Each structure stands twice: as structure tokens, then as C-alpha cells.
Amino acid sequence: MTPAIELVGIDKSFGAVHANRGVDLAVLPGSIHGIVGENGAGKSTLMSILYGFYEADAGEIRIGGKPVAIRSPADAIAHGIGMVHQHFMLVETLTVLENVILGAEGGTLLKAGAAKARAELTRLSDAYGLAIDPDALVSDLSVGLQQRVEILKALYRGADILILDEPTAVLTPPEADALFALLAQLKAQGRTVIFITHKLREIMAVTDRVSVMRRGEMVATLPTAETSPPALAELMVGRRVLLRVEKSPREPGEPVLEAIGIAVTDAKGVERLMDISLTVRAGEIVGIAGVAGNGQSELLEVLAGVIQPSHGAIRIAGELIPPHRRNPARLRELGLLHVPEDRLRMGLVPSFPAFESAALGFTGDPAFARPAPFGALFDRAAMVDHTRRLMDGFDVRPPDPWLRSSKFSGGNQQKLVLAREIERGPKVLLVGQPTRGVDIGAIEFIHRRLIALRDAGVGILLVSVELDEIMGLSDRILAMCGGRITGERRAEGTDAQDLGLLMGGVSEVAA
Amino acid sequence: MSAPIELPRWADVALVPAVSVVAAFIVAGLVVVGIGENPLTVTRILVTGSIGSADAIGFTLYYATNFIFTGLAVAVAFHAGLFNIGGEGQATLAGIGVSLACLNLPFLPAPLLIVAGILAGAAFGAVWALIPGWLQATRGSHVVITTIMFNFIAATLVVYLLVNVMGRAGSMSPETAEFPAASHIPSAREVLGALGIAQPSTPLNLSLALALAAAFGVWLLIYRSRLGYAIRTVGASPGAAIYAGISPGRIVMVAMAISGALAGGLAVNELMGAQHRMVLGFTAGYGFVGIAVALMGRSHPAGIVLAALLFGALYQGGAELAFETPTITRDMVVVIGGVLILFAGALEGLFRRLVARTLTVAAPRRAREA
């Protein structure tokens, strides 16, 4: 069978970074083809070349056996390739219909094109049972539905080959199931799907074949049925990895962090958190399970003092924190440290060299200041030394304190942020998405450090959208939905189905 | 969805600005050809007019002093993520401060009166910039808008003051009385003359040293101090600033105040160094050119000093050019300056891409040969 898409010897460098090295890939028509690999393995670059964002330095793209030149997304669309990005490319203030015809309006005046598009859109959404109102504003749609609009957009432009980049990162488990059903349907109609993910479970569930990338090279392409998650993980990392974390039981100590009746209202007057009460004890990890956007981010930020609650009280180590002390700098002095969810927006300053990012929040440290009378100036040698020690302790690569923070891979950025906070000896550590965008090898390392910290008696509040991570690390799990805590479980007494129900808002009083 | 263009540091710092300037001069040369003049002759006049004699150099450096101050002012605000368009107004207010100090404290001995004048100028400039900063921090009013409006307020206010309050008695022109001699910042002629080096009389004065000291101070502040770290953090990532416990509102106000104080240096050079009284419109657009200087200098004090020298030379050489070549008017010189600003500022991205392409094409070739 002629492959629907064939990439031959694709090579691409960005300066000194060799992102793709002689990559070959053949995707069979009417199949779902998974591509896995660690962050920075070159998956996104490869797909960007296929979709015309970048041009390859060398190599050939063949569609249906014929070599083609794809120099822009317009070329890709013309060849029947559609892409659904991880971050949707939708105009929120426009309707579904307007978004779908955007860039394919078919004339200066909208009316004729819109009428034609409406008919086509209705046909497509009937054919795939998508149930989308073409006149709904995109901003009113749920994330799952917005993703369908993206898929519709690609289908409307006649895509036979659909590339999905980490499509499930933003979905609830039921939404992900619906997506998988849709993909199966597309496949049944003979369309080809390329599915990029780092979740091995999803690869196993939906793909027919899977390709593994590592350090810019394609290391294997296998029928999914002939492989297993551990085997794939080993191919991705190049060595054996522990997918599960070992941890021994530990009796928690005194409460180190207590939230009592916390409520948060955002700038638009929307209630983001309602009546949140929780306790984190010394030497335990409390996990917050929930689908992204259900208040976990606000919970972390309010506890860290980044945003202020409209109601409620916070105690650290038993001591009530008055409102004027609820700012990150003061809380830090009390031993409450914070690894934020979004390391690029909060955890570090991308344009700063690593040693400056490694001082974020701790610039008042006298060790970083020159002796009086120049105390307002930094002792940069001390800062660089400190950063070098952090990098050694957490295996940050490359161990170069002068390198710009944005130049480190996601995993190494995360290790730097973790190192900065952990090495200050927290009493309480708030951790948001510790392994988002982090490669498998680093995930294992980060998990072990968090467990070690718990064993040393630190109270940890863990927020993550990865249910496996919550279940693997936590001693106790709170599920959140719609800004409320919908249930509490002991880690050993629950499973994904049980938590999934709680995360979906099936609230109940007792566990 | 184009990725940000990453360049080696040397290319970023030296090559891209150099390419921009060369391109600007080529385009300006085409304009000169268009009006029927020989670009080589024009270039020669421009160069000799700006650096061809001690006299010319004096004027060039004098203009450059103004540009250093206003460029630094824009840069400090820019590091905090603010676009301070109000250099003109802040310098105008600083002029009022300078005049009040110089005219009302004549009993002070020379060095103290000069210091008092400088401090008054800086303070008035700082306050005038602080108000938009405060509005931005507390009310969310965008500083671009408010600083522009404050330029107009300052311009009208100073007319009123010079005509009705501070004007020289019995004079029709809107200017203050001459400042006492003790407030005059020593000119280059006096300073170098004392060292036995003969100098022609130019407006160049010791304010240049103050400007260079300010550039060094800004470098220390921005890149070496805790406050500068906070300013840069707020500018680069407000989220990270809040996370770190830095109050963006407070930093916005502090940065604007420093920015306004630096713009006040323009009043020091012009009024205490050169004109020795306050006249209407002494800011003469230097505040706006400071934006271009900061852009071209990439908001780094060293770059700003270099860009200020270039613009100073262009100002001085341009004046000579307008004088020597009848077809090239003052307006033509403004066109050349405009082209330079366009290429160094707005079109910088164009050359970044070009330079990046050239470098990446060259790099694999080197790698293959190796």
C-alpha cells in the first residue's frame, strides 16, 4: 500500500540544535499513527515541516507517493493536510461558522461564501455526529467543543490527513473518549490521522502504528499491538525507566498549611473558588485532582499569596496569616515556597540568564548582596556559584548559569525552579504541574525528589492534570470541580474511575 | 507563527545595528540622488560637518549629551515594560525646576548652586513622569497616552509661566532672566582651556560628563542592582514579578520617576550648560529623538551612548549640510534622520531575519567543510 504521507531523510537544524536528523516516516492511509517522544525530541519540528511552518534543510515529503514542496501552511492545506494545534487557533469573538471560513471566505463579500459554508458545515457535523451550532460564539464553547471546531475547520478545507498535536492535554477524560471515537470515525471514512502525544496510555488506546522519536531521530516505528508502554518509554528515553514511583508509607505530622473557607472572585466578578477548606500536614503529599480550569490554578495562587481571597483564612504552621502578610515575599519568609504551574510565565524569567532566574523571589538574600555600602548591588559571583550548586544538585543540563533561561529544555527549566525552591528548605511546598512538558527521564527524577522531600517532613500540596501523577505521588487526594472540592480519598483507596467521577462534579459529602 | 529569531550575541549587539545603519544610509543616499545631488559629496559634507573640526566635534558632542539623557530616560522605562513618550514634557518641567533653583538660590556658591539646579531639574522631571506612572499603576491609564498628554500640558504650562510668572521683566520674549554665573556649568572651552588646550567656543559643557556618569549609573542600576532586577522582571514578565513578591505598580512608579529624572538632564545641558536662561521650546524634539536613540541602542547604556553620538553627528552634520547645499533643506536632514530611525527601530526585525538566514546558511557550510 502506498503511504498517505512519506517523509524521507528530513533534516532540520536551528543554529547549533539539530532538531531532525534524517527522519523517515511513512503513514499508511486510513490509519491512526501515533508519534511519541520526549520534549525536544523533534516531534513538533517534524510536524511543523509537514505543515509548512518550517522548511527542511534536506529531505523529501511525498503525498500519495508523489514528491511535493510544502513551503507554507497554505501549501499543506492545498495538499489535504490539516492541523489541530495544542493551543487552538480560533478567534473567540467570532462564531463557529465565521471561524471555519476564516481564510477561506470565497470572495470579498461574506454572504455567498457563508451560505455555502453553512451547508457544508451542517453536512460535516451530521456525518460525524459533531453536534455543533454554527452560530454559537467560540468563546461560549467548552474546550472540547472548541477542539471540534478546529477539526471541522480542517475538514472544511478538505483535509484528508489530520495532524493532532497533544490533543488531550486540555480535555476531561469523557471529552478525550469522545475525541477518540471521532478519530475512529474519521479513520473508518478513510482519512489519515497523525496523533502526537506524550501519554503512552493514549497511544495504546487509539493508534494503529506508533513512531518513537529521540533526540531528533526516528528510533522505531511499530504496530501498536506489538508493543507496550514500558517498551515505548524505554525507546523514548534510551534506557529503562520506572513509570511508577516507589514510596513507603509515612505517618503525617502536625498541620503545616490550613485553608479555611477560601473563596476567590476574579476581576470579572466570576467566583473561581468557593468555600475551599483543606489541611496539609508535615510529611504528606496532598494531591489536587481536577480537569484544567476548575480552580486548581487559583487555589495554588491564593495559597501562595499571588492572588487574594475574597473570603477565608490561611494558617501556616498553626499561625493565622493576616491579610497584609498574604504576599509571596512574606509567605516565603514563613517557609511556604511555591513551584508555579506555569514556569515560563511565573517560575522564571525566560529572557534572564539562569543565575538571575535562580534568584527570583530570593533577591533579598544577603548572600547575593555586595558588602556595605554597596548592598543594593548584586554579588554576581555569589549568585552564579549558588546557581551552579543548584544545577549540580538537580542535574540541570547544561550546567551553565549564564545560559538564558528560555534556552533550557522544559524539564531542565523545571528542575531549576524546583531546585531553587527546595534548596531553601521549605516547610510547605506548593507544586503546580511539576512534570508538564517535562521528559520522562526528568519526571522520574522530579518524582523522587518530591517523595524525598515528603519523607523529610515537608508538607506538599500537589496540583496536576496528570491523574497518574496525582495517584502515584499523593498520600491523600482532593478532587476539584467548578471551584469546589468535590471529594477526598486516601490514595490507596481509589482509582481513576472513582476520581474521574469526582472530577466530573459528582459531589458527595463523605468518602 | 514564526519562532523568535535567535542570534549569537555579537550579531545581536553589533551586526544587526550596523546593517540597519548602512541600509539607512543607502536609502537616504537614494533620496539624495533623487533630488539631484551627489550622495558622495553630501556624505563628505555630513562627515566633515560633524567630526571634521574641533568646532564641529564640540557641537556634535553637545547634541549627543541631550540624546544620551533622553535615550537613557526612554530605556529605563522600557526595561520596566513602559513606553515613556513624555521626555519632552518631563524635560520642560525639569527646565522650570532648574530655573527656579538657579534664579532663587543665587546666594549659593557655584558648585552647590549647580548641584541644586541639577537636583531640582531631576526632581521636577521625576514628578512629571511619576504622575502618569501613578495613573498607570493605580488606574490602568496607559502611559503612552498619558505621557503624550502630559507633553501638551507641560508645553502650555511653560508658556503661561514664562509669559506671566517667570518671564524677564520688561521683555517681550518668553524667557527667564539670565541665570547667575555661579549656576553656569563650565564649558568645554573653559575646562580644556584651564588644562592648556585651546578650544573654539561651542555649547559643549561638562554636562557631557554628567551624561556619561548617568549612563554608567543606569548600567549599574539596571544590570547590577536589586532594584534594576525588579524593574527588568516587571518589564519581562509581570507574572514572575508578582510570583516573586515584587509589586509591579510600585516598580512602574519608580521606573517612571527615574526615567523623568533622566529626561531632566536635557534641561541641565541646555539651560545650565548652554543657554544660561530658560527659553520657550528648548527641548526642540530631543525628547522624541531619545526614543529612537534608545531603540537603536537596544536600551543598553553603551548602545545608547553610541547611538546618541550618531544622532548628534547627524544633527550637527545635517545643519552644515543644509547650510552648504541649498537644495538640501533642514527638512531633508529630517528625512535622513527619519530613515535612520525607521531602519534602526521599526525595521530592525527585517535585518534580524536576513542576518539569521545568512548566518544559518554559512554555519552548515562551515560544518561540512570541517
Side-chain angles (χ1 to χ4, degrees), chain A residues 328 332 338 345-346 349 352 356 359-361 363 375-378 380 407 420-421, chain B residues 1 3 6 220 223-226 229 232-233 236-237 239-240 242-245 360:
Chain A
R332 214 167 263 135
H338 175 199
R345 200 176 61 80
M346 262 196 188
V349 183
F352 281 10
E356 285 191 338
L360 190 67
T363 49
L377 297 182
F378 282 134
R380 298 223 298 181
K407 300 252 183 162
R420 179 182 73 208
E421 303 299 316
Chain B
M1 200 180 114
E6 294 282 356
L220 270 185
Y223 296 105
R224 290 292 186 271
S225 79
R226 265 212 301 282
Y229 180 97
R232 283 185 292 131
T233 306
S237 175
I242 297 171
Y243 160 80
T360 43

Side-chain angles (χ1 to χ4, degrees), chain A residues 81-153:
Chain A
I81 301 172
M83 183 149 180
V84 176
H85 298 272
Q86 186 177 3
H87 303 287
F88 304 146
M89 309 269 171
L90 296 172
V91 184
E92 299 222 327
T93 50
L94 297 185
T95 64
V96 170
L97 181 71
E98 287 167 332
N99 265 288
V100 167
I101 61 175
L102 192 66
E105 294 89 347
T108 318
L109 295 176
L110 274 184
K111 206 169 171 191
K116 213 171 97 242
R118 183 183 297 276
E120 173 68 7
L121 204 57
T122 312
R123 194 187 65 75
L124 281 171
S125 56
D126 287 349
Y128 294 102
L130 288 178
I132 286 185
D133 172 11
D135 297 313
L137 280 180
V138 164
S139 55
D140 293 339
L141 300 181
S142 72
V143 174
L145 287 180
Q146 290 189 10
Q147 190 173 55
R148 289 186 182 188
V149 176
E150 280 281 12
I151 294 173
L152 266 181
K153 221 165 85 177

Side-chain angles (χ1 to χ4, degrees), chain B residues 16 26 106 136 178:
Chain B
V16 173
I26 290 172
Q136 161 105 59
E178 168 115 4

